[in-house]
Amino acid sequence: MIHSSDKTAVNWISSDTLIPYPQALEGMETRVAGILNGSLPEQVWLLEHPPLYTAGTSAQEKDLLDPQFPVFHARRGGEYTYHGPGQRVAYAMLDLNRRGRDVRKYVWLLEEWIIKTLAHFDVRAERRKGRIGVWVARPDRPPLPDGTVAEDKIAAIGVRIRKWVTFHGISINLAPDLSHYDGIVPCGIHDYGVTSLADLGVSATMEDLDTALKTSFQMVFEG
């Protein structure tokens, strides 16, 4: 079942069943086409996928270590990532023709959306130059070989844009099975791990996370 908000400037829908990846791609294509022809409003789609890997346009075969699950070529930016139960995916179909035709700014806003969302749970998440995604420090673990504090990725970003309308979006790890990441080098980045809110000791439900996502979206994109 899909729960949909009223038809406002940005339409929010939340799926309470696992959505197969091809179905998600089809849904995004339909929405983007509707935004482009003026028949549909912008949309944020909150969902979970069954366990799978997706390959972005920069994915390298050597980073597919042990594909435990189906692999889909997503045609979004980025490399390999994992999606599965316990991870909230937020697909954002937004019109940059009216929000500003600036891809770099849009990616920054997606990062800011994640950072402010995680702040609702007292998690300090940060950007890192040269590393896609959003990261948290792990001083509870041994430092890296260069002496710097260990860090883990808690959220991923992958974007595709057609005629200045966006699709794909972000994913935040609430409580997925982190061992499923062992089949890939996430986003092609070595030496760093992957974490989740549950792994950080945060007790939150998917509904809690959705509420934080909606509140933070208003602050970042509409404020």
Side-chain angles (χ1 to χ4, degrees):
M1 177 182 291
I2 293 177
H3 303 294
S4 178
S5 65
D6 293 334
K7 194 171 182 179
T8 56
V10 177
N11 179 242
W12 287 77
I13 61 173
S14 179
S15 299
D16 57 12
T17 59
L18 299 180
I19 301 298
Y21 198 70
Q23 180 181 338
L25 290 178
E26 182 180 356
M28 285 191 284
E29 289 281 356
T30 299
R31 178 62 53 162
V32 168
I35 294 170
L36 284 169
N37 67 28
S39 65
L40 293 174
E42 297 175 307
Q43 183 180 85
V44 177
W45 186 5
L46 304 176
L47 57 84
E48 294 172 85
H49 286 302
L52 57 90
Y53 301 116
T54 66
T57 54
S58 301
Q60 301 183 52
E61 197 65 30
K62 64 181 177 62
D63 291 334
L64 186 60
L65 305 177
D66 178 23
Q68 310 166 44
F69 308 109
V71 179
F72 295 91
H73 292 274
R75 297 172 66 188
R76 54 157 174 79
E79 303 189 38
Y80 283 106
T81 195
Y82 166 78
H83 295 308
Q87 178 195 77
R88 180 49 97 204
V89 176
Y91 289 134
M93 285 73 79
L94 303 177
D95 188 359
L96 299 189
N97 289 294
R98 70 179 187 84
R99 292 178 177 271
R101 295 182 175 184
D102 188 332
V103 176
R104 186 168 297 179
K105 177 183 176 182
Y106 176 62
V107 172
W108 188 92
L109 290 171
L110 291 177
E111 294 169 340
E112 192 71 4
W113 183 20
I114 295 167
I115 290 168
K116 290 190 180 301
T117 295
L118 294 174
H120 281 262
F121 305 98
D122 296 322
V123 171
R124 180 177 178 178
E126 300 175 300
R127 300 172 179 85
R128 287 293 179 263
K129 186 176 181 180
R131 283 191 258 141
I132 299 298
V134 174
W135 302 78
V136 294
R138 300 302 303 269
D140 54 315
R141 295 217 315 268
L144 297 176
D146 63 2
T148 57
V149 173
E151 294 183 333
D152 287 339
K153 176 183 278 191
I154 192 168
I157 297 172
V159 173
R160 188 178 176 194
I161 297 175
R162 177 181 298 149
K163 296 181 180 178
W164 296 103
V165 174
T166 72
F167 47 137
H168 298 275
I170 67 172
S171 60
I172 298 177
N173 289 339
L174 177 69
D177 185 337
L178 296 178
S179 71
H180 291 175
Y181 281 92
D182 295 342
I184 57 171
V185 178
C187 299
I189 300 174
H190 299 268
D191 301 327
Y192 298 93
V194 180
T195 190
S196 66
L197 286 171
D199 185 49
L200 295 173
V202 176
S203 178
T205 66
M206 195 65 79
E207 291 74 19
D208 295 333
L209 181 53
D210 288 351
T211 298
L213 279 164
K214 291 175 182 178
T215 300
S216 298
F217 183 92
Q218 294 297 323
M219 295 170 61
V220 173
F221 286 95
E222 309 295 352

